Amino acid sequence: MYQPVTISSTAEKVVYLVIFHLSFVMFVWSYGKTIFTSPASPSNEFCLSKADKEQYEKEERPESQQEILRRAAKDLPIYTTTASRAIRYCDRCQLIKPDRCHHCSACDICVLKMDHHCPWVNNCVGFSNYKFFLLFLMYSLLYCLFVAATVLQYFIKFWTNELPDTHAKFHVLFLFFVAAMFFISILSLFSYHCWLVGKNRSTIETFRAPTFRNGPDKNGFSLGCSKNLREVFGDEKKYWLLPIFTSLGDGCNFPTRLVIMDPEQLTVSSQNEPAKSSGANQPFPTRPLSESKNRLLASDSQWVESGPEDENVKSGTKKHIIVSLES
């Protein structure tokens, strides 16, 4: 009877050690990737040319400056503007801001799909390391849960006076409370960011909705929960739990809920149809989305076509993308 008990006890210790070391390694790996991954900045195509920059600095009227920015942004993949329908321009970095890009005053750079600047990692959380940040929260949550669960039995014995009267029992009490408090605080933060991923929003966009041609829309970038998840974690599910960059896209432009036609059809329709009331000051792109974004928009089974928008598209028009969702 003694031998099976010994084997079971040894097996439990092995399982505990494996789980402990695995969770600790993944926690440290994710934390390190979150800290040391540099925030992604806009590419050079969003920077003004030397001539446009000089002309922009010479102009004193905001209307003239906006005209220069509209001319420079006409071929850029930009769908959002400021609340006043102006081109989003960073005077500090001297570049046109891509969609979901914001300037971080702490890092003093424009960060692609900026979520927030996190003092706990001393880095900006954005497109380049958002997946690492989520995994860091998840593995730290599991690590705290594992510590609290393994100490729980000794914590119960502490209150029932079954532990020996030594200084170690106070260490058990301290360890349990610390693990439990960290678990509760991280759980709230992790749950909030899971909600953001499901809605395809950043923390900044939660407080200030992005402005599209039809006005502010907090769900403008939402493609449905499944596609929103794939946009952050990628198509390969086997890499989702590893701190390896697998996010889709380039961080400079994102698929939206707008109806985007084929570029050739869009050019023809723009010549034959009068301009809509969205205004000439909104330079929406005519270039197709990248391959990774087309994969997100390829599966028709998850799309829900809205009536008003689809009625405006003639049956003979070939669409490149239909992305009208009910969020």
Side-chain angles (χ1 to χ4, degrees), residues 160-196:
T160 56
N161 295 323
E162 296 181 16
L163 284 179
D165 191 12
T166 61
H167 294 290
K169 65 179 184 180
F170 295 102
H171 298 166
V172 171
L173 182 66
F174 175 78
L175 182 60
F176 178 81
F177 272 114
V178 169
M181 286 188 298
F182 271 99
F183 174 79
I184 295 173
S185 60
I186 296 175
L187 178 61
S188 60
L189 182 60
F190 180 68
S191 301
Y192 173 69
H193 279 279
C194 287
W195 178 80
L196 290 180

Side-chain angles (χ1 to χ4, degrees), residues 41-75:
S41 300
S43 56
N44 293 331
E45 64 177 335
F46 292 91
C47 298
L48 295 179
S49 63
K50 185 177 181 180
D52 289 338
K53 190 182 299 183
E54 293 177 354
Q55 187 178 0
Y56 179 86
E57 293 175 351
K58 291 179 181 179
E59 292 290 346
E60 297 181 355
R61 296 186 306 164
E63 296 81 5
S64 300
Q65 292 179 335
Q66 277 298 306
E67 184 61 31
I68 297 173
L69 296 179
R70 284 196 296 269
R71 186 173 62 251
K74 65 180 181 179
D75 294 327

Side-chain angles (χ1 to χ4, degrees), residues 222-242:
S222 180
L223 307 175
C225 186
S226 176
K227 288 179 170 57
N228 295 340
L229 187 66
R230 287 169 52 197
E231 187 173 310
V232 175
F233 289 93
D235 292 326
E236 300 288 340
K237 293 184 179 180
K238 60 183 178 181
Y239 298 124
W240 282 11
L241 300 181
L242 296 178

Side-chain angles (χ1 to χ4, degrees), residues 7 11 27-28 47 53 60 69 87 177 204 276 284 290:
I7 294 176
F27 163 74
V28 173
C47 298
K53 190 182 299 183
E60 297 181 355
L69 296 179
I87 302 296
F177 272 114
I204 296 177
K276 295 185 178 181
F284 295 100
S290 62

